[in-house]
Amino acid sequence: MEIGGGRITGTETSKELGGSVNFAMYSTEKCMPPSQGDYKTVTAVDGSKWYHQYAQPTVVKEAYMKEDGKIQYKEHIENKLPEAPKRKDKI
């Protein structure tokens, strides 16, 4: 888990999610709402509000050169967090 600057990231484990999944939370006071991916707004015990996102299946393409010198791509799916939202103090 990593906490700092209005951002919390970590790994959540639950039977509901089918194992472990990475997540990120962003302070609603310090960050704009996420522009990519699904998110929900949650309220912590201290009353602070956070945007909460889970990693989502993303297609990753990796280039490689075949024996004949042509470029090919291998594709696979990885669970990745969407791009972090912009901080309000930097827009």
Side-chain angles (χ1 to χ4, degrees):
M1 182 168 290
E2 184 178 321
I3 301 172
R7 176 179 166 162
I8 300 170
T9 59
T11 303
E12 185 175 325
T13 303
S14 79
K15 290 179 184 177
E16 263 181 33
L17 299 172
S20 298
V21 64
N22 290 333
F23 73 91
M25 293 173 52
Y26 307 96
S27 168
T28 61
E29 289 183 20
K30 295 183 178 185
C31 298
M32 300 297 296
S35 60
Q36 298 177 350
D38 296 332
Y39 71 91
K40 62 183 176 183
T41 304
V42 296
T43 305
V45 175
D46 65 1
S48 61
K49 295 192 181 299
W50 297 80
Y51 301 118
H52 181 271
Q53 287 188 301
Y54 287 112
Q56 300 175 0
T58 305
V59 175
V60 177
K61 290 173 82 172
E62 296 176 348
Y64 69 95
M65 188 177 298
K66 291 175 51 173
E67 291 177 12
D68 62 4
K70 293 183 180 178
I71 302 295
Q72 280 292 63
Y73 294 92
K74 293 180 185 177
E75 294 181 351
H76 63 278
I77 296 176
E78 289 182 10
N79 286 329
K80 291 187 166 195
L81 286 168
E83 184 177 317
K86 295 183 188 285
R87 289 182 51 100
K88 290 180 178 178
D89 61 352
K90 295 188 179 186
I91 57 168

